[in-house]
Amino acid sequence: MDRCARLATHTEAPGRITRRYLTPPVAAVHEDLTRWMRDAGMRVRVDAAGNLVGRLGADHPEVPVLLTGSHIDTVPNGGRYDGVLGVLVGIAAAEALSRVDLPFALDVVAFSEEEGVRYAKPYLGSAAVAGRFDPGWLDRTDEQGVTLRDAVTRFGLDPAAIPAAAYDPQHVLGFIETHVEQGPVLEQAGRPVGVVNAIAGQSRLLLRFVGEAGHAGTSPMHPRRDALVSAAHLIAEVQEYGRSIAGLRATVGHVSAHPNVRNVIPGAVEVSLDVRHAMDDVRDAAVAALLDHATRIAGEDGVAVEVLENQPQPATEMDSGLSGLLSQAMADAGHRPFDLLSGAGHDAVAVAAAFPVAMLFVRHPGGRSHHPDERVELADVAVAVDVLTRAVRLLAGRVRGEDARLPPLPVDLPMPGTMSGAGAIPGAGVGATPA
Ligand code: HGY
Ligand code: MN
Ligand code: MN
């Protein structure tokens, strides 16, 4: 908890926690993590995508490895646990395991980028680890016009070496990510931790309305082609539509008006669209419906609309074997296993493209995340460290062929409305896994 507080002081904006990909406070986080990882008996490296990796155990490319960790970037004015907690729980588990003889290496990964804030592209760090980093992304620019390529170089890293950040799937046993739940399900169920069974899919879009700029004082009110008015119509409809479908989340979180000057009619406006649902077909249908709304609004207003970006991310299922280890570890620690769906995206989504993944959620009192009010309880974090440590030991037993107690758990996508962060009804479709 002290370490979470310490990392929260490394920020681009004093008084807030804002830490975008490869900005100077990321180097300060690396410095602290390196010290703590070394104290826990780990060797530390930084890969070319900016991920910091601490290794416990043999340092050989052929050695099997289990990954754990999460991300160290934040949304602007974010909380102190989103991402960081999973890295620090990983280090604590590594410390607890430093005198245990494991038949594999344990890598704690501090992923450099997960939120997609600086380059409007999430999972940059985890995509590199999974061998899915697209070199075309290096040409993306941030709001200051700095390319991703230049950001990597300025951080002292070599963009050409990013492919070498990828792990060889042949040697990876899997990735177990610990994360604050960011929703109310565990709190409502009275559980300290839970095992994620799937991560809801999401679509991230960017639309542009193009009308006609003009003098605010001399242009009559008719005719006008004000792109911001059209965007405003869409934003209201996005909320209304989002409320009309069970389990759907539809949000416009970003607006940028041009020329964004008080005495000029806005000639062009970009709006983002974030659409999520547990079921991919419902999300796809929602995106199609909202794009139809945008086209209709543009037609009525006499402006043009275009889709600049559409990044769909299907729902991600967790690995039943690794999830079973977490549930078994919970039972061994005296907690009845409990599983739930994640409404938020996580590094595990990108990593799942290459390796088996599982996630352990920590109760989130108040349920408010991407916000300074984000909270966790010390006792729940202790349970998370204990469960992760036990799960690693269970995996060791399984790798050695010692433990045949662990049947794979079936993983089913819950029905809509049970998504964490959905204001879900406790227990409704949120299955307690049999021990
Ligand atoms: O936006 C998300 O779901 C995650 O917090 N990056
Ligand atoms: Mn987040
Ligand atoms: Mn996160």
Side-chain angles (χ1 to χ4, degrees):
M1 297 292 272
D2 288 344
R3 288 174 175 183
C4 287
R6 160 90 188 174
L7 296 187
T9 65
H10 301 316
T11 174
E12 297 177 71
R16 299 172 159 221
I17 306 171
T18 299
R19 204 165 48 240
R20 293 166 308 144
Y21 181 53
L22 297 185
T23 52
V26 171
V29 169
H30 278 189
E31 214 172 288
D32 280 340
L33 290 177
T34 299
R35 201 171 57 254
W36 299 333
M37 285 172 165
R38 287 191 179 141
D39 287 350
M42 315 182 89
R43 277 178 309 284
V44 183
R45 65 184 171 92
V46 177
D47 71 23
N51 301 306
L52 182 100
V53 185
R55 167 158 296 200
L56 188 72
D59 204 5
H60 186 273
E62 303 280 299
V63 78
V65 57
L66 174 70
L67 310 184
T68 189
S70 190
H71 60 99
I72 54 170
D73 67 319
T74 74
V75 295
N77 202 23
R80 64 170 60 172
Y81 303 106
D82 177 0
V84 158
L85 182 70
V87 180
L88 297 176
V89 165
I91 296 174
E95 194 172 334
L97 292 161
S98 60
R99 293 189 206 297
V100 175
D101 188 24
L102 296 173
F104 47 79
L106 178 67
D107 276 7
V108 178
V109 188
F111 289 108
S112 53
E113 207 288 337
E114 189 270 350
E115 299 286 6
V117 175
R118 185 166 178 189
Y119 288 100
K121 181 81 204 162
Y123 312 127
L124 295 174
S126 28
V129 160
R132 301 295 195 279
F133 189 97
D134 177 350
W137 298 343
L138 292 168
D139 296 322
R140 298 181 81 94
T141 51
D142 69 5
E143 279 185 353
Q144 281 69 47
V146 179
T147 63
L148 208 163
R149 182 180 291 99
D150 285 346
V152 171
T153 308
R154 287 178 198 181
F155 201 78
L157 302 168
D158 175 11
I162 290 178
Y167 282 70
D168 179 353
Q170 264 194 304
H171 302 298
V172 177
L173 295 164
F175 170 57
I176 303 180
E177 179 174 9
T178 307
H179 204 283
V180 59
E181 186 208 315
Q182 304 178 280
V185 175
L186 292 172
E187 186 180 33
Q188 290 173 354
R191 308 299 190 103
V193 297
V195 178
V196 173
N197 49 26
I199 300 174
Q202 52 178 277
S203 289
R204 294 189 182 196
L205 295 95
L206 187 67
L207 273 52
R208 181 193 282 145
F209 288 99
V210 181
E212 198 169 20
H215 196 292
T218 60
S219 311
M221 291 311 290
H222 292 285
R224 278 194 183 198
R225 292 165 60 227
D226 183 326
L228 189 52
V229 169
S230 304
H233 287 152
L234 179 67
I235 292 167
E237 288 205 12
V238 166
Q239 174 161 282
E240 202 175 314
Y241 184 84
R243 286 175 170 162
S244 73
I245 293 178
L248 190 70
R249 302 287 170 274
T251 307
V252 174
H254 169 92
V255 175
S256 113
H258 307 277
N260 208 20
V261 168
R262 292 180 190 204
N263 57 353
V264 181
I265 299 164
V269 172
E270 278 116 39
V271 289
S272 66
L273 193 51
D274 179 309
V275 182
R276 309 189 189 202
H277 196 275
M279 322 252 283
D280 289 336
D281 52 350
V282 178
R283 176 178 46 82
D284 288 341
V287 169
L290 289 169
L291 290 178
D292 282 350
H293 282 309
T295 305
R296 176 185 45 77
I297 289 166
E300 285 166 7
D301 294 352
V303 305
V305 65
E306 53 185 328
V307 180
L308 300 181
E309 280 194 31
N310 187 350
Q311 304 176 26
Q313 174 67 61
T316 304
E317 286 203 22
M318 302 293 102
D319 178 72
S320 56
L322 277 184
S323 299
L325 290 178
L326 286 171
S327 294
Q328 182 67 52
M330 275 182 74
D332 291 351
H335 302 281
R336 203 147 60 81
F338 183 85
D339 60 301
L340 71 168
L341 178 76
S342 174
H346 297 287
D347 292 293
V349 168
V351 176
F355 322 122
V357 299
M359 287 195 75
L360 182 68
F361 266 1
V362 181
R363 174 162 49 191
H364 183 208
R368 191 126 79 128
S369 186
H370 282 185
H371 190 277
D373 285 353
E374 203 171 76
R375 282 198 295 136
V376 291
E377 297 294 341
L378 177 63
D380 295 349
V381 175
V383 172
V385 173
D386 183 32
V387 168
L388 178 61
T389 307
R390 287 172 185 270
V392 175
R393 298 189 77 147
L394 286 170
L395 182 64
R398 180 178 275 190
V399 168
R400 289 199 184 97
E402 287 167 9
D403 194 340
R405 281 183 308 161
L406 307 166
L409 290 178
V411 173
D412 291 314
L413 271 179
M415 294 305 292
T418 64
M419 186 156 80
S420 176
I425 302 153
V430 185
T433 318

